[in-house]
Amino acid sequence: MTSPKPLHGTELVDCARANAKQGIETAAYQCGYGDDINTFARELRQACEKMNLQVKELSELITDQDMLLELGTGEIVAPDTPSEL
């Protein structure tokens, strides 16, 4: 859901992280900045600095956990029964 007003602080970082895979334009829009990508990027950088996060690009907000959730569509290789271990 798009924010009716520009987000700041941890709310901005959380929203940007949730939309990072869709790109900066979508993240800016969803976080309440519309087409103002420059202001979005500046506010996001400031919010990350306050949280002591070293982030230079939006894609750096995507965590390994996010990547693992996406990988969940693979094939499971395991024995059929515990006795086959």
Side-chain angles (χ1 to χ4, degrees):
M1 187 167 135
T2 304
S3 176
K5 61 180 182 162
L7 299 175
H8 299 281
T10 57
E11 289 179 333
L12 174 58
V13 174
D14 289 343
C15 180
R17 178 177 171 238
N19 293 286
K21 291 180 186 176
Q22 286 77 36
I24 193 165
E25 293 88 4
T26 301
Y29 180 78
Q30 294 288 48
C31 294
Y33 289 86
D35 294 332
D36 192 357
I37 294 172
N38 291 329
T39 302
F40 168 72
R42 183 179 65 247
E43 292 292 327
L44 180 59
R45 195 174 311 114
Q46 290 174 354
C48 287
E49 286 175 6
K50 287 180 182 177
M51 296 174 66
N52 290 324
L53 296 174
Q54 302 297 321
V55 177
K56 294 180 183 174
E57 295 183 14
L58 181 64
S59 61
E60 293 177 8
L61 289 175
I62 301 171
T63 64
D64 291 339
Q65 184 178 8
D66 295 330
M67 298 301 271
L68 287 174
L69 291 174
E70 192 172 291
L71 293 175
T73 59
E75 184 176 334
I76 297 174
V77 178
D80 291 331
T81 65
S83 63
E84 291 182 11
L85 295 175

